[in-house]
Amino acid sequence: MVMSGPNGNLITSLSATLYCQKYWCNLPSHRYELDEAFSAFLYKHCPVVAERFSPTPWCWGGRLQTLVCAILKSRPPVSYRNELIRTVDGGQISLDWVDNQASVTYPDSSTRPTVLILPGITGNSQQSYVLHAVSQAARHGYRCVVFNNRGLGGEELLTPVTYCAANTSDLERVVQHVKGLYPSAPVLGAGVSLGGMVLLNYLARKRAESGMVAGITISVPWDAHKSCYSMEEPLNWLLFNKHITRCLHRAVTRHRKILEKVVDVDYVLKARSIREFDERFTSLVFGYKSCTDYYHDASPDKKLPSTAVPILCLNAADDPFSPQNAFPVNIVQELPNVALVLTAHGGHIAFLQGLFPRGESYMERLFGQFVHAVFEHPKEIERACGIEDEDGKRKE
């Protein structure tokens, strides 16, 4: 399978392609101009972006990668400390911490870097991709905290409000809480799928006041409308959309007593797709006139120019959740602080490699290398992204 790159060039099925400001590189042939600072930083400190991405030989297609990953992926043992924090509207958010008190690299908890992880649409701290991310970060000596969306972290809903991709108020509350506990510790946001949408929307709205030093997203749906169309293709609906809708039903059923104050729960539970669920539930709970308005507000692609911290994004061209015609390549090429790594294969939150792909693969290694690069070379990445000048002064 091939897809067109800039100037009509082709990205082969085994290559990963890195897009940065006015820059592109078709790997592994290495056709690039290494004069843009962020791309140079990534090649220096995240060598995985220069690797030849070879998916599992018997698992090439995006649908198969996604399904196999859900079945086979290992689950590293992680012991969390749970904390419930209150929100302004009287609700509560469940946070799962890995404090990493035994960190040799950062023995002082007040300055220990923190990775804030945002799971996908019905995910929580127990998802395999979250466990692997926590394991990677802890190995480097960092602290982790998983932000479970309301109602998904085992806690009770105290108000008839859940979560959506466009609403960033809960994330803002979490960041304020984390920074309040550890004001001298840098925070990096890591968003997966819908969590990546929330993270990007937050970074765009808060700009330089986000409280984060950088962000990374994996398999983010860039355009909610296009993502929805892709997920409603017959096979994608059967394999993925139907399952996710059922998971959303279970969440609503669990909190039925309080949610029936604002929606017709029986009507919501008859939704047969994510779009129908968002029409009957999400758009109503968050005050949108229509699901179309909600999807427009939730899509992070056009908001990237408003971000002000370094951001690395990983997507696969065969992701059934995030179609390649939605990738904001042209926008990214005009931004000094955003890099987009594309692979022709990899599916949704999968990127499986090796004959028996249970352990860490491309996705986990990219995450680990970028997080380490951000925390260990803060001044260098700020200069690379035009955030700080050569004299070490932060640009306004």
Side-chain angles (χ1 to χ4, degrees), residues 6 17-25 33-43 49 311-313 328-341 384-385:
T17 303
L18 172 65
Y19 289 90
C20 291
Q21 183 186 37
K22 298 179 181 177
Y23 163 109
W24 75 284
C25 171
E33 298 175 8
L34 201 57
D35 59 349
E36 296 300 336
F38 194 14
S39 57
F41 175 88
L42 291 173
Y43 272 92
V49 302
I311 303 171
L312 178 64
C313 308
V329 172
N330 292 333
I331 295 175
V332 170
Q333 288 176 319
E334 297 300 320
L335 302 176
N337 65 306
V338 182
L340 175 60
V341 177
C385 294

Side-chain angles (χ1 to χ4, degrees), residues 222-223 226-227 230 301 317 322-328:
W222 290 99
D223 184 312
K226 293 178 180 179
S227 175
S230 176
D301 53 352
S322 183
Q324 67 182 74
N325 66 345
F327 297 163

Side-chain angles (χ1 to χ4, degrees), residues 9-78:
N9 292 295
L10 295 176
I11 301 167
T12 66
S13 62
L14 293 181
S15 66
T17 303
L18 172 65
Y19 289 90
C20 291
Q21 183 186 37
K22 298 179 181 177
Y23 163 109
W24 75 284
C25 171
N26 185 16
L27 302 173
S29 56
H30 296 284
R31 294 193 296 272
Y32 60 83
E33 298 175 8
L34 201 57
D35 59 349
E36 296 300 336
F38 194 14
S39 57
F41 175 88
L42 291 173
Y43 272 92
K44 179 180 178 182
H45 297 293
C46 302
V48 68
V49 302
E51 286 185 12
R52 181 184 181 93
F53 174 65
S54 299
T56 295
W58 53 269
C59 188
W60 279 64
R63 296 186 182 99
L64 188 57
Q65 280 255 333
T66 305
L67 291 171
V68 169
C69 182
I71 297 170
L72 288 185
K73 197 72 172 182
S74 62
R75 299 172 59 82
V78 172

